[in-house]
Amino acid sequence: MSKALRIIPIGGLGEIGKNMLVIAYDRDAIIIDTGMMFPENDMLGIDYIIPDYQFLLDEELNVRGIFLTHGHEDHVGAITHVLEAFPGTPVYGTRLTIGFVEVKLRQARLLDKTELRIFEAGDTLQAGPFSVETFHQTHSIPDCVGFGINTPEGLIVHTGDFKFDYTPIDGWPPDFGKIAEFSQRGVLALLSDSTNAVREGWTPSETTLDDGFERVFKAAKGRIIVATFASHLSRIQQIMQAAIRHNRKIAVTGYSMVENIKMATQLGYLKPPADLMIPIDQIDSLPASKVVILSTGTQGEPSAGLSRLAQGRHRQLDIRSGDTVVMSAHVIPGNEELVSRTINRLFQRGANVSYYPIDNIHVSGHASAEELKLMLNLVRPKYFIPVHGELRHLIRHGQLAEGSGIPSENIAVVENGVVVEFENGKMRLGERMPGRYMFVDGSGVGDIGPSVLRDREILARDGFVMVVVTLDADTGELIAEPEIITRGFVYLPEAEELFEEARDRIRDVVAETDTRMSAKKRREKIEAALKHVFQQETKRRPMIFSHINLV
Amino acid sequence: MSKALRIIPIGGLGEIGKNMLVIAYDRDAIIIDTGMMFPENDMLGIDYIIPDYQFLLDEELNVRGIFLTHGHEDHVGAITHVLEAFPGTPVYGTRLTIGFVEVKLRQARLLDKTELRIFEAGDTLQAGPFSVETFHQTHSIPDCVGFGINTPEGLIVHTGDFKFDYTPIDGWPPDFGKIAEFSQRGVLALLSDSTNAVREGWTPSETTLDDGFERVFKAAKGRIIVATFASHLSRIQQIMQAAIRHNRKIAVTGYSMVENIKMATQLGYLKPPADLMIPIDQIDSLPASKVVILSTGTQGEPSAGLSRLAQGRHRQLDIRSGDTVVMSAHVIPGNEELVSRTINRLFQRGANVSYYPIDNIHVSGHASAEELKLMLNLVRPKYFIPVHGELRHLIRHGQLAEGSGIPSENIAVVENGVVVEFENGKMRLGERMPGRYMFVDGSGVGDIGPSVLRDREILARDGFVMVVVTLDADTGELIAEPEIITRGFVYLPEAEELFEEARDRIRDVVAETDTRMSAKKRREKIEAALKHVFQQETKRRPMIFSHINLV
């Protein structure tokens, strides 16, 4: 084992170092973030995806702590899996972040077994050979931090997810003082959020949306239904403020939205006046012009509040002509079709729909190019490692860094699993770890691989056909009608003719084959004949199986 | 049957009246466009989607002609299906549009049986009670037209797909004279392209991209690989011009790109100098700085040229460090993940990738809000029917029309299948036709419905398990190991224990059941037991089937 300092981004699909990042020195390591991702559209049946942290176990590293930058799912969603692999590891986070984590641990019955350590931005934390200085950042969820990690090789600054919001909703701007102080002390390497590196200019402040909401609230004559991310507490606070200004009450629908608002109110991150919130079943006691409904479902997720409303399948609500629906979120790539469908269905039911980017009701939580240059100039690192984003975003971020004066040989654009090593103040690329991420499907973690996915793909495309053929053990003659079971291949009520032909072909094959032929060989012949019939008649290629009974 | 004039938009997924639109009067009808759509991500196994024209057959309407606005797939791709349903119907199109259609008819062996009637923009065509005046439009393919359809009820103007490009690549601007002339004569109704109705301002001219290509060609030191739509002939011409300016030769890869360039060159729409084009297998005889490769694959389609290059699976080419890849197209919604993956993989292989909207290398072919207002002002129709676009786009287009002075009661925002009727100069909404679109899967048209798709969805999510249980016919005892066939459920090499448990449960069920129990009942018990085991052990719900042999 090398004595070098090692930085290893892991997990994520296209994105690098977002779900998890490991900083290791000798036999000690810390983990920054433990996030999950949702599968892409062609990862059939997969529930979600978590980072592949197997190498930490293989190397028997001593994980000294899990440090969380903020409470979003792509940064904390895999916490229970990671804690099962590294039981007893202390988890560090700000109060709100730990609030989100507690919910997960309780559900997984891990709360009692876990050491949760709440810190305040500005605190310094010790973890083995690392001394971690925390600093406040602004993003699209409150109580975000970045880290200044003092290591035996030097100071590593990790921005976490951020944008420079000078006028955040909670009035708490980024800790420029701390960031600048790091540069005074000398920064070995900066790891910075690349999500919006390809976007020119500056990302607008959250407060710039006040105008957009004001316009919507002024124009709306009926109810206002706002969908946003359940974790976007500052957006929720903004909507509360607009509701108060316009003398409307707020009802909440969607499990995660209800739970998050409850938790954030308890912790003091939301402070709704006593009479602002009303139960969802009481909205009809108020005039439509006095009602705001907060909902989940910005991504068109079929089971979320807004999709159920759009399809007329919501238990407690329905969309009425005159409702105004505000979709205050961006579309996560891959969800475009679902979101378009939801918007069109809402229009169909008579709602007026405001959506991003058509209306000014959402801004990104990530820094654009000019902010990234500001961060580079504030920190003035010797080495630069862009993280959080797809490879194309990291490459652009690297170009921004080069333009900001960092020599190209001091910039490491790497993919998940690639080790960046520092020794004696010099950076080099190390080995590549095997894993990138693991599929979680039901209770299985990492057991679904390419071969199962390939089978699911074939089944999804053309279904399957199974035939059971019963033969006389002595004569080899068919002694019953071949039985056919099929799903996903053809519409059965209209396919009787096709299967009659299939049975004929089976009869032909059985009649032609020698009784001494092995069962395997006979099955192959039957399956080949069926494949031919189905291909010819339908131009489809279902999976075909056969079973032969000898009676 | 009413004597009213009827306008019926059909086909398309979210989009309205794009793939097909019917104009009917009494027993006569004409069809405008016969397009296809690609399925959305959750329409598993479907090859493509075509309009459901069944009502035309049910009503036994006399289809007097098929009028094509332009040669894009979403306007001509279903031509062979429509001609099979309405054999002998004359097909009207400009020379290039008919060129695209001929290829399809030849493949489907329908060329001899079809009456193709080539017209030039400006021609007037007779079809039953309709007199169709054609006028030149600009879009993202040459030789586009709109139609002024003189009907017994008045003049209907249909824009086709368009933008107002004053400086098109082929130098042939839209026929403003004709459009304005219609308004002089009085227009009963305008049907206008709504695709970009939610976009503010004006869509830039195709020639504005010359700057973008010039910048790319100037900066590129190695090969330049440009991917664009195979039908985007003006874009292809633009790239040819850039190649000539920079003294590079062009090679082409991708079947549809090769075929389209051949056809367009024969018809005179492309005029490459004799020595410009080189065979793809000769590019290595030239220095990298002298080569341009034109390719398909802008949507990340796994089988297209660019994806194969990105994955290192191209027969003739590979991406080299120093290559510049230009993705000169927008991403069709639903393809975002595939396109992102392709871009990242190209970067991974060392290419520098230019893509839209980061670089100025693509513009839309559809009119933005200000152009749509200009069209409304030029045509000055009495009634307005927005078409081509999702419901949300049509609604916005309707708002633009209202803002342009058309009374809201004279605007019909309808969905596919809804009949808009005109009688005695008055518009009303008629009945709703049953069908919207049909799935094409293999050789089956319209046979795949929701139940098959639902089965495919379940199979795609968790696969299936089939057990064959062989019992003694007299004693009801198991006389062989239960045989299990499964796909898409678990990774078999690691699931032996699970299936051992499943076999144990089957033994238990068999031991517990009465020999007099019916086979159906016994199968249900076995399937319920298996469902329980799999659910408990894997939290997955595969489809479960069983078969009992009595021996």
Side-chain angles (χ1 to χ4, degrees):
Chain A
M1 177 104 20
S2 155
K3 258 280 192 179
L5 178 76
R6 299 187 298 158
I7 296 180
I8 312 151
I10 53 176
L13 281 165
E15 292 201 87
I16 292 142
K18 188 181 189 79
N19 299 155
M20 189 184 263
L21 189 126
V22 171
I23 297 185
Y25 185 79
D26 199 13
R27 309 217 56 78
D28 293 299
I30 55 173
I31 292 173
I32 296 178
D33 288 338
T34 55
M36 54 154 281
M37 298 285 277
F38 286 105
E40 298 191 345
N41 280 310
D42 57 2
M43 297 171 176
L44 298 174
I46 302 302
D47 295 333
Y48 57 97
I49 290 164
I50 62 172
D52 184 356
Y53 39 72
Q54 185 60 39
F55 74 94
L56 288 169
L57 296 166
D58 295 344
E59 291 193 4
E60 295 176 23
L61 288 179
N62 185 2
V63 179
R64 297 292 198 152
I66 295 166
F67 291 79
L68 304 175
T69 57
H70 63 291
H72 278 152
E73 285 295 328
D74 50 351
H75 294 263
V76 304
I79 185 76
T80 58
H81 295 285
V82 176
L83 281 172
E84 269 162 13
F86 306 97
T89 308
V91 178
Y92 299 86
T94 58
R95 201 148 50 101
L96 180 65
T97 306
I98 295 295
F100 282 107
V101 166
E102 273 178 346
V103 176
K104 293 178 193 303
L105 295 179
R106 197 171 295 121
Q107 281 170 355
R109 294 168 200 274
L110 284 171
L111 191 54
D112 298 341
K113 301 175 202 155
T114 307
E115 202 182 321
L116 296 175
R117 298 194 186 165
I118 294 172
F119 64 80
E120 278 178 29
D123 288 353
T124 299
L125 314 159
Q126 289 299 328
F130 307 107
S131 162
V132 180
E133 299 176 73
T134 65
F135 59 97
H136 184 64
Q137 285 281 50
T138 47
H139 180 45
S140 50
I141 187 171
D143 231 1
C144 277
V145 294
F147 297 121
I149 305 149
N150 298 282
T151 77
E153 280 290 329
L155 177 60
I156 308 292
V157 175
H158 186 299
T159 66
D161 280 6
F162 82 102
K163 68 176 176 182
F164 282 128
D165 193 339
Y166 305 137
T167 53
I169 302 295
D170 63 5
W172 190 3
D175 189 352
F176 284 101
K178 190 83 180 178
I179 298 170
E181 191 213 298
F182 289 142
S183 76
Q184 298 296 310
R185 278 149 52 188
V187 174
L188 179 66
L190 170 67
L191 282 65
S192 181
D193 178 3
S194 311
T195 313
N196 274 352
V198 297
R199 247 190 240 184
E200 305 284 321
W202 295 77
T203 302
S205 167
E206 292 292 319
T207 46
T208 60
L209 299 184
D210 282 342
D211 289 349
F213 284 117
E214 187 60 24
R215 205 183 44 71
V216 170
F217 273 68
K218 250 187 173 153
K221 304 234 179 321
R223 303 183 303 181
I224 299 172
I225 299 162
V226 185
T228 189
F229 293 115
S231 64
H232 205 328
L233 296 175
S234 72
R235 192 67 49 83
I236 292 168
Q237 192 179 326
Q238 227 166 348
I239 293 152
M240 286 180 172
Q241 286 162 353
I244 294 168
R245 284 199 304 276
H246 291 268
N247 202 16
R248 287 177 181 251
K249 304 291 177 196
I250 299 180
V252 185
T253 176
Y255 178 78
S256 57
M257 184 70 91
V258 170
E259 291 302 303
N260 284 354
I261 290 178
K262 200 193 296 174
M263 189 262 288
T265 306
Q266 275 165 6
L267 295 181
Y269 289 91
L270 290 174
K271 299 189 182 81
D275 60 341
L276 180 65
M277 311 303 284
I278 59 168
I280 191 85
D281 56 9
Q282 284 177 28
I283 52 172
D284 285 338
S285 65
L286 292 173
S289 63
K290 295 293 171 210
V291 173
V292 173
I293 298 161
L294 262 174
S295 169
T296 52
T298 58
Q299 302 305 309
E301 315 92 309
S303 63
L306 199 66
S307 303
R308 283 188 280 131
L309 274 170
Q311 292 177 70
R313 296 194 300 104
H314 196 287
R315 256 181 328 118
Q316 297 147 316
L317 293 172
D318 51 4
I319 291 288
R320 301 178 198 155
S321 175
D323 284 347
T324 298
V325 177
V326 183
M327 301 192 57
S328 179
H330 73 292
V331 181
I332 296 171
N335 295 339
E336 288 80 0
E337 288 175 345
L338 289 176
V339 172
S340 291
R341 239 182 263 175
T342 301
I343 292 173
N344 287 321
R345 282 177 176 156
L346 290 166
F347 271 121
Q348 228 169 14
R349 291 180 179 269
N352 178 28
V353 190
S354 276
Y355 56 97
Y356 176 78
I358 305 301
D359 298 296
N360 179 31
I361 39 112
H362 177 72
V363 286
S364 169
H366 296 275
S368 298
E370 292 303 314
E371 289 157 276
L372 297 176
K373 291 183 203 164
L374 174 56
M375 182 61 90
L376 283 154
N377 276 277
L378 286 171
V379 177
R380 298 225 148 274
K382 183 170 178 194
Y383 293 101
F384 177 59
I385 307 173
V387 290
H388 300 192
E390 302 168 24
L391 186 57
R392 56 174 159 168
H393 304 136
L394 270 52
I395 286 172
R396 182 64 64 110
H397 202 177
Q399 290 163 350
L400 297 177
E402 210 180 326
S404 302
I406 298 185
S408 67
E409 63 272 21
N410 286 11
I411 298 169
V413 174
V414 298
E415 294 192 82
N416 284 320
V418 175
V419 181
V420 183
E421 296 179 341
F422 292 90
E423 197 165 12
N424 303 324
K426 293 243 176 296
M427 179 177 76
R428 62 172 182 256
L429 295 193
E431 60 181 326
R432 184 164 189 149
M433 300 300 176
R436 292 189 303 154
Y437 52 76
M438 295 186 284
F439 290 140
V440 180
D441 185 9
S443 58
V445 178
D447 67 327
I448 299 287
S451 70
V452 177
L453 281 189
R454 212 153 36 229
D455 286 345
R456 288 183 182 173
E457 209 177 284
I458 297 170
L459 290 169
R461 199 161 53 222
D462 288 326
F464 77 92
V465 178
M466 162 101 199
V467 292
V468 179
V469 178
T470 304
L471 304 179
D472 184 300
D474 299 325
T475 65
E477 276 168 18
L478 259 180
I479 55 172
E481 276 285 272
E483 194 186 333
I484 296 181
I485 296 166
T486 177
R487 289 292 187 285
F489 168 43
V490 290
Y491 183 55
L492 280 176
E494 290 173 10
E496 202 30 64
E497 219 171 296
L498 175 68
F499 290 116
E500 209 34 75
E501 193 180 338
R503 284 192 200 95
D504 285 347
R505 290 295 301 127
I506 293 170
R507 280 185 205 101
D508 295 348
V509 172
V510 170
E512 284 161 16
T513 49
D514 193 316
T515 51
R516 286 162 306 183
M517 187 178 275
S518 74
K520 180 160 176 284
K521 190 100 193 148
R522 219 193 299 237
R523 278 182 22 228
E524 282 171 10
K525 277 195 169 293
I526 290 173
E527 290 169 13
L530 291 177
K531 183 180 166 188
H532 183 75
V533 173
F534 295 142
Q535 164 88 43
Q536 195 166 46
E537 296 298 317
T538 68
K539 298 234 169 22
R540 296 174 201 162
R541 298 165 171 276
M543 279 192 169
I544 297 172
F545 307 92
S546 63
H547 176 84
I548 295 177
N549 291 330
L550 294 176
V551 179
Chain B
M1 178 100 26
S2 155
K3 259 279 192 178
L5 178 76
R6 298 188 298 158
I7 297 180
I8 311 151
I10 54 175
L13 281 167
E15 292 202 87
I16 292 142
K18 187 180 190 84
N19 298 156
M20 188 184 265
L21 190 126
V22 171
I23 298 184
Y25 185 78
D26 198 11
R27 308 217 58 77
D28 293 300
I30 56 173
I31 292 172
I32 297 178
D33 288 337
T34 55
M36 54 154 280
M37 299 284 277
F38 287 105
E40 298 190 345
N41 281 312
D42 56 2
M43 296 171 178
L44 299 173
I46 302 302
D47 294 335
Y48 57 95
I49 291 164
I50 62 171
D52 183 358
Y53 38 73
Q54 185 58 38
F55 75 94
L56 288 169
L57 296 166
D58 295 343
E59 291 192 5
E60 294 175 23
L61 289 178
N62 186 2
V63 179
R64 297 294 198 151
I66 295 166
F67 291 79
L68 303 175
T69 57
H70 64 290
H72 278 152
E73 285 296 327
D74 50 351
H75 293 263
V76 304
I79 186 75
T80 58
H81 295 284
V82 176
L83 281 172
E84 270 163 12
F86 307 98
T89 308
V91 178
Y92 299 87
T94 59
R95 201 148 49 100
L96 180 65
T97 305
I98 295 295
F100 282 107
V101 166
E102 273 178 348
V103 176
K104 291 177 193 305
L105 295 178
R106 196 171 295 118
Q107 281 171 354
R109 296 167 198 275
L110 284 171
L111 192 54
D112 297 341
K113 303 176 199 155
T114 306
E115 203 181 321
L116 296 174
R117 298 195 186 163
I118 293 172
F119 64 82
E120 279 179 28
D123 289 353
T124 298
L125 313 160
Q126 289 299 327
F130 307 107
S131 164
V132 180
E133 299 176 71
T134 64
F135 60 97
H136 184 63
Q137 285 281 52
T138 47
H139 179 45
S140 49
I141 187 171
D143 231 1
C144 279
V145 294
F147 298 121
I149 305 150
N150 298 282
T151 76
E153 280 290 329
L155 178 58
I156 308 292
V157 175
H158 186 298
T159 66
D161 280 5
F162 83 102
K163 68 176 175 182
F164 282 127
D165 193 339
Y166 305 136
T167 53
I169 302 297
D170 64 5
W172 190 2
D175 189 351
F176 284 100
K178 189 82 177 177
I179 298 169
E181 191 213 299
F182 288 143
S183 77
Q184 299 295 309
R185 278 149 52 189
V187 174
L188 179 65
L190 170 67
L191 282 63
S192 181
D193 177 3
S194 312
T195 312
N196 275 351
V198 297
R199 250 193 235 184
E200 306 283 321
W202 295 76
T203 302
S205 166
E206 292 290 321
T207 45
T208 60
L209 299 184
D210 281 343
D211 290 348
F213 284 116
E214 187 60 23
R215 203 183 44 71
V216 169
F217 274 67
K218 248 186 175 155
K221 306 235 178 321
R223 304 184 305 182
I224 299 173
I225 299 162
V226 185
T228 189
F229 293 114
S231 64
H232 204 328
L233 296 175
S234 72
R235 193 66 51 80
I236 293 168
Q237 193 179 325
Q238 227 165 349
I239 294 154
M240 287 179 171
Q241 287 162 353
I244 294 167
R245 283 199 305 275
H246 291 268
N247 203 18
R248 286 177 182 251
K249 304 290 179 198
I250 298 181
V252 185
T253 176
Y255 177 78
S256 57
M257 185 72 92
V258 170
E259 290 303 302
N260 284 354
I261 289 177
K262 201 192 296 172
M263 189 264 287
T265 306
Q266 275 166 7
L267 295 181
Y269 290 90
L270 291 175
K271 298 190 182 79
D275 61 343
L276 181 65
M277 310 303 286
I278 58 168
I280 191 84
D281 56 9
Q282 283 177 29
I283 52 172
D284 286 338
S285 66
L286 292 173
S289 63
K290 295 292 172 211
V291 173
V292 173
I293 299 161
L294 261 173
S295 169
T296 52
T298 60
Q299 301 306 307
E301 315 91 309
S303 63
L306 199 65
S307 303
R308 281 188 279 130
L309 274 170
Q311 293 175 72
R313 295 194 300 106
H314 196 286
R315 257 181 327 117
Q316 296 147 317
L317 293 172
D318 51 6
I319 291 287
R320 300 176 200 157
S321 177
D323 283 348
T324 298
V325 177
V326 183
M327 300 193 57
S328 179
H330 74 291
V331 182
I332 296 172
N335 296 338
E336 288 80 2
E337 289 174 344
L338 290 174
V339 172
S340 290
R341 240 182 264 175
T342 301
I343 292 173
N344 287 322
R345 282 177 176 155
L346 290 165
F347 271 120
Q348 227 169 15
R349 290 180 181 272
N352 178 27
V353 189
S354 277
Y355 56 97
Y356 176 78
I358 304 302
D359 298 297
N360 179 32
I361 39 112
H362 176 72
V363 285
S364 170
H366 297 276
S368 299
E370 292 304 313
E371 288 157 277
L372 297 176
K373 291 182 204 164
L374 174 56
M375 182 60 90
L376 282 155
N377 275 277
L378 286 170
V379 177
R380 296 224 148 275
K382 183 171 175 193
Y383 294 100
F384 177 60
I385 308 173
V387 291
H388 300 190
E390 301 167 24
L391 186 56
R392 56 173 161 168
H393 303 135
L394 271 52
I395 286 173
R396 183 64 67 114
H397 202 175
Q399 290 163 350
L400 297 177
E402 210 180 324
S404 303
I406 297 185
S408 67
E409 63 272 20
N410 286 11
I411 299 169
V413 173
V414 298
E415 294 191 81
N416 284 321
V418 175
V419 181
V420 183
E421 295 180 343
F422 292 90
E423 197 165 12
N424 303 321
K426 292 244 176 295
M427 178 175 76
R428 61 172 182 256
L429 295 193
E431 61 182 325
R432 183 164 191 151
M433 300 298 178
R436 293 187 303 156
Y437 53 77
M438 295 186 284
F439 290 139
V440 180
D441 185 9
S443 59
V445 179
D447 68 325
I448 299 286
S451 70
V452 177
L453 281 190
R454 214 155 31 230
D455 286 345
R456 287 182 182 173
E457 209 176 285
I458 298 170
L459 290 169
R461 200 161 50 222
D462 289 325
F464 77 92
V465 178
M466 163 101 197
V467 292
V468 179
V469 179
T470 304
L471 305 179
D472 184 297
D474 299 323
T475 66
E477 277 168 18
L478 261 179
I479 56 173
E481 276 285 272
E483 194 186 331
I484 296 180
I485 296 166
T486 177
R487 288 293 186 284
F489 168 43
V490 289
Y491 183 54
L492 281 176
E494 290 175 9
E496 202 29 63
E497 219 171 294
L498 175 68
F499 290 116
E500 209 32 77
E501 193 180 336
R503 283 191 201 95
D504 284 346
R505 291 294 302 127
I506 293 170
R507 278 183 207 104
D508 294 347
V509 172
V510 170
E512 285 161 16
T513 50
D514 193 318
T515 50
R516 288 161 306 183
M517 188 179 272
S518 73
K520 181 161 175 285
K521 191 94 192 153
R522 221 193 298 239
R523 278 185 19 231
E524 281 171 9
K525 276 194 171 292
I526 289 172
E527 289 168 13
L530 291 177
K531 184 180 163 188
H532 182 76
V533 173
F534 295 142
Q535 164 87 41
Q536 195 166 44
E537 296 298 317
T538 68
K539 297 235 168 24
R540 294 175 202 161
R541 298 163 170 279
M543 279 191 171
I544 297 171
F545 308 92
S546 63
H547 177 84
I548 295 179
N549 291 330
L550 293 176
V551 179

